[in-house]
Amino acid sequence: SPSCSSVIIVGAGVSGLSAAKVLIENGVEDVVILEASDRIGGRIRKQDFGGVPVELGAGWIVGVGGRELNPVLDLARKSNLRTFFSDYSNARYNIYDRSGKVFPRGLVEETYKKEVESAVQKLKKLEADCGYGGDFSNATEPPSTQKTPMELAIDFTLHDFEMPEVEPISTFLDYGEREFLVADERGYEHLLYKMAEDFLFNSEGKLLDSRLKFNKVVRELQHSRNGVTVMTEDGCIFQANYMILSVSIGVLQSDLIAFNPPLPRWKTEAIAKCDVIVYTKIFLKFPYKFWPCGPGKEFFLYAHERRGYYTFWQHMENAYPGSNMLVVTLTNEESKRVEAQSDEETLKEAMGALTDMFGPNIPEATDILVPRWWNNRFQRGSYSNYPIVSNDHFVHDIKNPVGRIFFTGEHTSEKFSGYVHGGHLAGIETGKALLEEMEKEKERTSESENQT
Ligand code: FAD
């Protein structure tokens, strides 16, 4: 017979766990958390590679040093996570051309200013074209003029790394513009174990609680006025009064979960409108280091005629001295392209870029790690990206419940979508909204009982 509980939470990433914590702390203890994979964390994911714990997903606490305390920084402090300040702004002073020359500072400064100005203008034009409340899906990109490889490298870092210079981003406004790299043996995910310690894990990170179930891939979701029923891939059935669905926007756009009856149009349209960013950190291990280290050298850029082609590099010497590791970040189309090819092919391309920058005598990488967020059917991308000119309507449609199904996840965070703190705060918010709804339902039933 199917197991029955008050609330089923689908997904044990930061948002699902944050929602569970709110419910349990407020007396709703019979929750069940169904997680498709065999671990918690979702897009927060540590893996050991070349003797170092690397973060395949979220790597930074973004938004530090501002007027408010980022709640994820707070969690990180409480769990004693080891973090390092990352100064992205230096990256542009380390742009290499294909013959290994570094572009002079003055030229870079000038180009940088121009690129920021043009990005700001472009954004203004887009807003004017669509107007708030208008249909942003019709906005047409102005034809971009031919950019030089150096301009492309700067454009890539400005847009694909969300520099606060271009548009006001709530994260930076509220929490500050600094970013801290998490480099801890226990992984970024340690803060989740710490957060869930009181209700799911003991202090050694051992699962204590049968409310969290791994390897439960939700495939069908029946919902009615009376409750929800969930079918998992392994043939289990779970029933509950309510559900919190924390799967990513990419999963919602895919056909992994069948809704019965189907989601209403306002919901499916909002889901379809939300962009999915693919962001891939490729890790490369070398026998020794051949790149410059020291202050201001953590990040460097490769200027290639193809935008985003192995552009953004980072060495790991600050966090893990002697690790001899480089990380190169690809996004979107480049990420998808690389996910579809063999790692040997990717290694060859990366070595090509490095040879251009540092000469033919550099050592071969001894190992490569290529995460595949796009092809992971439990993710289908790295994080959400709201339409540039989005309106309240859109945001509410993304997060509003459908009957007894409540939505959470980073993509439902109005101010902080895309980030770990967005997922965390969204989970808390959804948990609270559901508590309120359950309270109301209780009142309704007691009223109708009084009447009869
Ligand atoms: P998830 O973590 O995706 O949790 C959802 C869970 O649902 C997953 O565990 C999944 O397995 C499960 N699931 C999916 N489908 C089903 C199903 N059918 N049945 C059961 N379970 C299912 N943020 C930052 O703040 N800083 C960063 O530096 C940063 N960098 C990033 C880099 C990368 C490469 C990626 C991928 C993300 C990055 N992010 C970063 C974003 C951040 O990781 C996410 O915003 C956040 O972790 C999302 O949490 P979530 O709970 O919303 O979703």
Side-chain angles (χ1 to χ4, degrees), residues 5-10 23 221-230 239-245 259-261 263-264 266-267 399-408 430 433-434 437-442 444-445:
S5 44
S6 286
V7 183
I8 294 169
I9 298 174
V10 181
L23 292 176
L221 208 162
Q222 289 172 6
H223 55 116
S224 74
R225 229 188 285 164
N226 303 317
V228 292
T229 304
V230 154
Q239 288 182 328
N241 296 331
Y242 291 98
M243 142 159 311
I244 291 181
L245 192 55
F259 292 85
N260 187 3
L263 292 174
W266 59 265
K267 180 60 93 182
K399 77 171 174 199
N400 276 350
V402 172
R404 289 174 176 272
I405 307 172
F406 282 63
F407 291 80
T408 196
T430 306
L434 178 52
E437 176 57 30
M438 292 171 89
E439 210 42 59
K440 278 191 211 148
E441 186 176 30
K442 229 193 272 166
R444 281 197 301 268
T445 32

Side-chain angles (χ1 to χ4, degrees), residues 35 60 64 158 191 213 218 220 250 270 322 331 346 367 390 404 409 418:
E35 166 55 48
W60 281 270
V64 175
L158 272 177
L191 63 79
K213 300 189 189 303
V218 171
E220 194 179 337
T331 62
T346 305
D367 209 352
S390 52
R404 289 174 176 272

Side-chain angles (χ1 to χ4, degrees), residues 11 15 35-36 42-43 58-60 216 218 247 279 379 409-410 418-420:
S15 65
E35 166 55 48
R43 283 171 274 169
W60 281 270
K216 293 291 173 215
V218 171
V247 303
Y279 180 103
Q379 294 300 343
E410 54 81 9
Y419 296 108
V420 173

Side-chain angles (χ1 to χ4, degrees), residues 338-354:
V338 157
E339 278 197 24
Q341 71 187 13
S342 72
D343 291 356
E344 289 75 57
E345 197 59 39
T346 305
L347 178 61
K348 224 164 72 195
E349 291 175 356
M351 285 308 302
L354 288 170

Side-chain angles (χ1 to χ4, degrees), residues 394-430:
F394 167 79
V395 178
H396 293 142
D397 286 352
I398 280 280
K399 77 171 174 199
N400 276 350
V402 172
R404 289 174 176 272
I405 307 172
F406 282 63
F407 291 80
T408 196
E410 54 81 9
H411 53 284
T412 69
S413 170
E414 192 165 337
K415 287 176 84 178
F416 309 116
S417 63
Y419 296 108
V420 173
H421 52 278
H424 175 55
L425 294 171
I428 293 173
E429 197 181 317
T430 306

Side-chain angles (χ1 to χ4, degrees), residues 267-379:
K267 180 60 93 182
T268 53
E269 279 179 1
I271 290 169
K273 255 183 197 162
C274 194
D275 256 356
V276 171
I277 300 286
V278 194
Y279 180 103
T280 312
K281 291 186 273 186
I282 297 172
F283 299 87
L284 294 157
K285 175 89 179 169
F286 293 92
Y288 55 88
K289 63 174 195 282
F290 52 85
W291 50 87
C293 286
K297 301 286 185 212
E298 183 179 4
F299 299 97
F300 56 94
L301 305 179
Y302 174 54
H304 189 272
E305 53 274 20
R306 188 149 115 215
R307 186 184 183 279
Y309 186 81
Y310 297 88
T311 308
F312 198 91
W313 293 80
Q314 178 186 12
H315 73 63
M316 303 247 307
E317 290 304 308
N318 295 359
Y320 295 107
S323 59
N324 302 329
M325 195 109 76
L326 288 176
V327 189
V328 59
T329 299
L330 308 185
T331 62
N332 301 328
E333 291 319 307
E334 284 299 307
S335 290
K336 291 178 189 173
R337 187 181 68 75
V338 157
E339 278 197 24
Q341 71 187 13
S342 72
D343 291 356
E344 289 75 57
E345 197 59 39
T346 305
L347 178 61
K348 224 164 72 195
E349 291 175 356
M351 285 308 302
L354 288 170
T355 308
D356 282 356
M357 290 188 276
F358 300 108
N361 297 325
I362 59 170
E364 261 301 302
T366 50
D367 209 352
I368 182 169
L369 176 60
V370 184
R372 286 177 165 77
W373 293 103
W374 174 246
N375 281 296
N376 181 338
R377 68 186 180 123
F378 307 143
Q379 294 300 343

Side-chain angles (χ1 to χ4, degrees), residues 44-59:
I44 300 176
R45 170 163 207 166
K46 177 201 77 169
Q47 188 168 316
D48 290 311
F49 173 73
V52 167
V54 298
E55 300 292 342
L56 307 191

